Amino acid sequence: MSVVKPSIDDLLKQTDNNRFLLASLASKRACDINSMLREQHSRVLAVQEVDDITVALSGKDTISMAMDEIVDGDISFEHDVFEEALGHKAEAKA
C-alpha cells in the first residue's frame, strides 16, 4: 500500500518534512477516529456485527481519513511541544 492521494510530498510539507512526525500524527488521529466511530456504532447499532466498522460507516479507512485531515491543515502540531519532546530543536531541512 502506498500513499497516492494526498501525495507524500504534500503531507510532509505539513509536518516540516519529518516522516516520524507525519506517522505519529496520522496514527494518533486514526486511533481517535476509530474510537469515535466505534463509540457511535455501539450506541446506534448495538446488535449488528461488522468486522471493520470504520470502513462500513465511512467508506474509508482511518489512516486515509487522517492523512486527508493532515494535508487539509485540519490536524497540526505545536512546534514548541514537539521540540520539547525531542529534547532539542528540530533542524530545518532544505
Side-chain angles (χ1 to χ4, degrees):
M1 182 176 148
S2 65
V3 176
V4 177
K5 285 187 180 180
S7 76
I8 191 71
D9 292 333
D10 292 338
L11 288 163
L12 286 171
K13 286 178 190 172
Q14 296 296 96
T15 57
D16 293 343
N17 292 314
N18 187 319
R19 294 175 190 269
F20 174 75
L21 178 58
L22 173 59
S24 296
L25 283 176
S27 65
K28 172 68 172 124
R29 181 58 181 147
C31 286
D32 291 346
I33 293 169
N34 199 30
S35 295
M36 178 189 64
L37 290 174
R38 287 187 186 279
E39 288 172 17
Q40 288 178 354
H41 176 258
S42 64
R43 280 184 261 145
V44 176
L45 306 170
V47 296
Q48 185 177 354
E49 290 288 324
V50 177
D51 287 341
D52 192 345
I53 191 60
T54 304
V55 175
L57 290 176
S58 68
K60 292 176 79 174
D61 63 283
T62 55
I63 270 294
S64 294
M65 294 166 70
M67 295 287 191
D68 287 340
E69 290 179 0
I70 291 169
V71 82
D72 290 342
D74 297 333
I75 302 296
S76 61
F77 67 100
E78 294 182 31
H79 290 273
D80 294 339
V81 173
F82 177 64
E83 289 173 353
E84 184 178 316
L86 286 176
H88 61 84
K89 290 198 176 231
E91 294 180 22
K93 292 183 180 180

